Amino acid sequence: KNGMNVKSLSFDREHRSIIAENLSYLIKLKNTTESKVAQELNIPVMTIRRLLSGETTDPRVSTLQTIASYFDISVDALIRTNNFVQNELISQSKSLLVPVYDWEQVKKLPDAHSKEWPMWVPITIEKNQKISKKTYALESRPFMYPPFQPGTIFILDPELKPSDGDLVLVNLKDSNELTLRELRIDPPDWQLYSVSQNAKILDFSKKHHEIIAVVFLTLFQNRKA
């Protein structure tokens, strides 16, 4: 589902049956057992058994994400028909869930990053694309329009090395404020261009600026009423 923002999901009997079938299929495909899956994921074996029996009506998002990642599929594939699982396993892309922070919470990283985080957004990346476990999302601020519509979601990786033309999240050390800037590199000079028309161009300095993360994906979506 788009805009997943709860800790657990509620399923009716039909969907619980689909999850059970998918999980059973994946366990057989991997030639493993429910006990071994639980052991390797460090979750109670009864959690796996309840999913296999269709007993769990509201599994945690974090549990579904952990299981889906283990089998290298998306959460969406795990909760849909068996054919969808098979199609995704041979696909060249995969879906992941990324936590959505607000701008103040980013300053508290990495303490704020947790699988139990209440707000998540699904993203799709190439099968062989690697992103760090610290990847997170931010929603655009009103003054960023234009060029960014209200509700735009930025996916950021704090372990990605910045390069010329990247959109980067910058900490202005003097004021301890965060801002999104376009990085332009003309060696040896680094400059930070504003995404709005009101802010001036900054000459990057490690004394005054810190690049927190690099935007590698931008999602344009309508804000919910």
Side-chain angles (χ1 to χ4, degrees):
K1 293 182 179 180
N2 240 349
M4 196 174 292
N5 57 8
V6 292
K7 289 185 178 181
S8 62
L9 299 176
S10 180
F11 296 103
D12 57 23
R13 181 176 297 179
E14 180 180 355
H15 273 94
R16 297 200 302 271
S17 176
I18 290 172
I19 294 173
E21 290 178 9
N22 286 342
L23 185 54
S24 177
Y25 169 80
L26 290 165
I27 288 174
K28 291 178 181 178
L29 188 67
K30 197 176 179 67
N31 194 27
T32 187
T33 65
E34 57 196 51
S35 298
K36 189 172 182 180
V37 171
Q39 182 179 8
E40 292 185 2
L41 296 181
N42 195 28
I43 59 178
V45 67
M46 286 306 300
T47 298
I48 302 295
R49 288 174 181 170
R50 289 193 182 102
L51 288 171
L52 285 169
S53 66
E55 180 181 345
T56 301
T57 60
D58 55 345
R60 286 181 171 271
V61 169
S62 58
T63 300
L64 294 176
Q65 183 181 28
T66 299
I67 293 173
S69 296
Y70 176 77
F71 290 107
D72 199 25
I73 62 171
S74 68
V75 174
D76 195 35
L78 182 62
I79 65 178
R80 293 178 63 178
T81 63
N82 187 262
N83 286 338
F84 194 87
V85 169
Q86 295 178 27
N87 291 339
E88 185 166 302
L89 286 171
I90 61 175
S91 172
Q92 294 302 307
S93 63
K94 62 180 178 180
S95 297
L96 302 171
L97 289 174
V98 174
V100 182
Y101 299 142
D102 68 36
W103 289 73
E104 285 301 313
Q105 288 160 345
V106 174
K107 298 178 182 179
K108 302 176 184 177
L109 294 177
D111 295 339
H113 201 137
S114 167
K115 289 182 178 179
E116 301 300 322
W117 196 257
M119 295 188 66
W120 301 82
V121 63
I123 65 171
T124 301
I125 62 174
E126 295 299 317
K127 199 79 170 180
N128 59 356
Q129 183 179 356
K130 302 294 183 181
I131 62 174
S132 77
K133 294 182 179 180
K134 297 179 180 179
T135 295
Y136 56 89
L138 285 175
E139 185 175 345
S140 63
R141 289 171 161 175
F143 65 79
M144 293 179 177
Y145 172 77
F148 298 107
Q149 296 286 338
T152 296
I153 300 294
F154 304 105
I155 311 299
L156 303 100
D157 189 342
E159 296 187 3
L160 199 59
K161 184 178 179 180
S163 59
D164 182 41
D166 279 340
L167 206 57
V168 295
L169 183 64
V170 181
N171 178 31
L172 305 178
K173 293 182 179 179
D174 293 340
S175 60
N176 193 31
E177 292 183 3
L178 297 180
T179 179
L180 208 61
R181 297 274 178 148
E182 180 186 343
L183 175 64
R184 298 187 187 179
I185 303 175
D186 186 9
D189 299 323
W190 286 31
Q191 290 186 310
L192 301 168
Y193 282 70
S194 174
V195 297
S196 66
Q197 298 177 352
N198 300 325
K200 66 179 182 180
I201 299 172
L202 300 176
D203 292 319
F204 178 80
S205 164
K206 290 185 178 180
K207 180 180 178 180
H208 299 289
H209 313 119
E210 179 187 7
I211 295 179
I212 302 295
V214 176
V215 175
F216 70 88
L217 181 63
T218 304
L219 306 176
F220 298 95
Q221 58 188 49
N222 295 325
R223 177 188 292 274
K224 293 182 179 179

